[in-house]
């Protein structure tokens, strides 16, 4: 039983047939418990659309989306989403942003307070407990967004280029933090990026998408996924170097195709 699955999904934007923009065509994808699946593809190929379908924000014209064998018909706290822009509530403190979900669900404080404290500590935010969002750097804001998603104990965490707006240094720290937390909590993750290095660093499986209308072009397992993985290990490992060259080739080819169909 997959934690999240797309079954022969076809999706287009636009209501009238003539004005339709086909985005996904017959896409099937199964994500198993504890996997870290990276969707890799050129801009505009439908990566965000796949996440939005998985989240239940959009409905496919054909095919279906299943979450542990249940049909996805709308958003659910069991499928958490982290966007490129952290979208924090500006009028709430860091702590109140992180605990917003469980408080809205009316869960008892004894349930969420210890988890919030632990997550804030893991994210290096304990000193910023009472800070306002506008006082935080981009990386800190994104850590608050991660803690806010994780406190819900989601079955699946959907991440849409979450580090795309960060500077290279912060981005690399955030990638490490995400990997550490994922290793500890083993949440199933579907992560979108157009960056091949990021895909290989994070993913246990890389799903390369074709240009619009998006299809799955190829799936690549990353064999070092379970072991220690950092930029240096990946750069020196010949298997990873081959995967990188191959993935780069595929993405460049699809990016050129995307330019041609635009
Ligand atoms: N709300 C929308 N209405 C119409 N077209 C859209 C909408 N959102 C995205 N698109 C188009 O659908 C295609 C896929 O978009 P998206 O899933 O955001 O791609 P990606 O995340 O891979 O860059 C693009 O051509 C984009 O312009
Ligand atoms: Mg996108």
């Amino acid at each position: 039983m997959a934690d999240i699955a797309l079954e022969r999904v076809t999706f287009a934007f636009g209501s009238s047939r003539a004005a339709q923009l086909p985005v996904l065509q017959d896409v099937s994808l199964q994500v198993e418990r504890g996997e870290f699946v990276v969707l890799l593809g050129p801009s505009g190929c439908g990566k965000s659309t796949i996440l939005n379908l998985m989240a239940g924000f959009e409905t496919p014209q054909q095919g279906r989306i299943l979450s542990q064998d249940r049909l996805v018909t709308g958003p659910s706290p069991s499928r958490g989403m982290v966007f490129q822009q952290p979208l924090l509530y500006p009028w709430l403190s860091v702590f109140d942003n992180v605990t917003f979900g469980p408080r809205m669900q009316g869960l008892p404080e004894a349930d969420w307070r210890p988890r919030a404290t632990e997550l804030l500590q893991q994210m290096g935010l304990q000193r910023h407990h009472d800070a306002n969002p506008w006082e935080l750097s981009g990386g800190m804001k994104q850590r608050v967004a991660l803690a806010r998603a994780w406190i819900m104990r989601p079955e699946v965490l959907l991440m849409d280029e979450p580090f795309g707006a960060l500077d290279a240094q912060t981005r690399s720290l955030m990638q490490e933090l995400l990997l550490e937390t994922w290793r500890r909590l083993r949440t199933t993750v579907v992560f979108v990026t157009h960056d091949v290095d990021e895909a290989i660093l994070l993913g246990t499986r890389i799903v390369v998408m074709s240009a619009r209308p998006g299809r799955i072009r190829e799936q690549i397992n990353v064999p070092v996924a379970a072991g220690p993985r950092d930029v240096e290990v990946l750069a020196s490992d010949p298997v990873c170097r081959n995967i990188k060259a191959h993935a780069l080739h595929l993405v460049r080819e699809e990016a050129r195709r995307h330019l041609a169909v635009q």
Side-chain angles (χ1 to χ4, degrees), residues 54-248:
M54 287 176 164
F57 300 151
E58 301 278 6
T59 318
Q61 278 87 8
Q62 283 173 42
R64 48 187 204 156
I65 293 115
L66 297 171
S67 164
Q68 297 190 345
D69 283 349
R70 294 183 310 268
L71 196 63
V72 171
T73 53
S76 152
S78 68
R79 278 166 278 121
M81 186 81 146
V82 179
F83 300 94
Q84 187 167 12
Q85 298 303 332
L87 303 174
L88 304 180
Y89 300 112
W91 60 90
L92 296 180
S93 68
V94 164
F95 184 80
D96 288 345
N97 263 286
V98 169
T99 56
F100 186 79
R103 286 188 288 116
M104 284 297 106
Q105 285 188 319
L107 296 177
E109 190 169 337
D111 173 80
W112 50 258
R113 186 173 281 278
R115 253 186 304 147
T117 308
E118 198 186 334
L119 274 167
L120 285 174
Q121 197 192 350
Q122 280 164 8
M123 297 290 154
L125 289 166
Q126 61 276 46
R127 285 194 303 115
H128 305 283
H129 186 280
D130 297 320
N132 298 301
W134 67 84
E135 296 169 309
L136 305 177
S137 67
M140 282 153 83
K141 280 188 202 148
Q142 204 50 293
R143 281 183 267 154
V144 175
L146 269 177
R148 186 178 57 179
W150 246 310
I151 200 167
M152 302 301 288
R153 289 201 262 244
E155 284 157 11
V156 182
L157 197 52
L158 306 169
M159 309 186 81
D160 196 353
E161 310 216 30
F163 310 143
L166 303 175
D167 62 83
Q169 224 95 60
T170 310
R171 182 175 206 190
S172 160
L173 291 173
M174 290 299 294
Q175 289 166 338
E176 276 172 31
L177 183 66
L178 173 61
L179 272 180
E180 261 169 44
T181 317
W182 171 74
R183 271 200 213 102
R184 200 167 36 238
L185 302 178
R186 284 287 163 171
T187 312
T188 309
V189 176
V190 185
F191 186 105
V192 160
T193 187
H194 59 264
D195 179 344
V196 174
D197 285 315
E198 184 167 64
I200 294 171
L201 179 67
L202 297 177
T204 55
R205 175 157 55 114
I206 301 173
V207 175
V208 184
M209 295 190 55
S210 72
R212 194 168 55 75
R215 294 189 189 86
I216 290 176
R217 164 104 192 242
E218 197 169 316
Q219 304 207 32
I220 308 170
N221 286 315
V222 184
V224 293
R229 45 192 342 191
D230 57 41
V231 190
E232 286 165 37
V233 171
L234 295 178
S236 60
D237 183 308
V239 177
C240 290
R241 283 213 304 269
N242 282 344
I243 291 179
K244 179 175 171 178
H246 182 54
L248 259 178

Side-chain angles (χ1 to χ4, degrees), residues 21-49:
L21 178 76
V23 177
L24 299 173
Q25 193 142 37
D26 202 15
V27 173
S28 294
L29 176 66
Q30 298 234 338
V31 181
E32 306 296 333
R33 165 64 40 95
E35 270 197 293
F36 196 125
V37 168
V38 175
L39 296 182
L40 175 68
S43 169
C45 73
K47 304 182 295 297
S48 296
T49 305

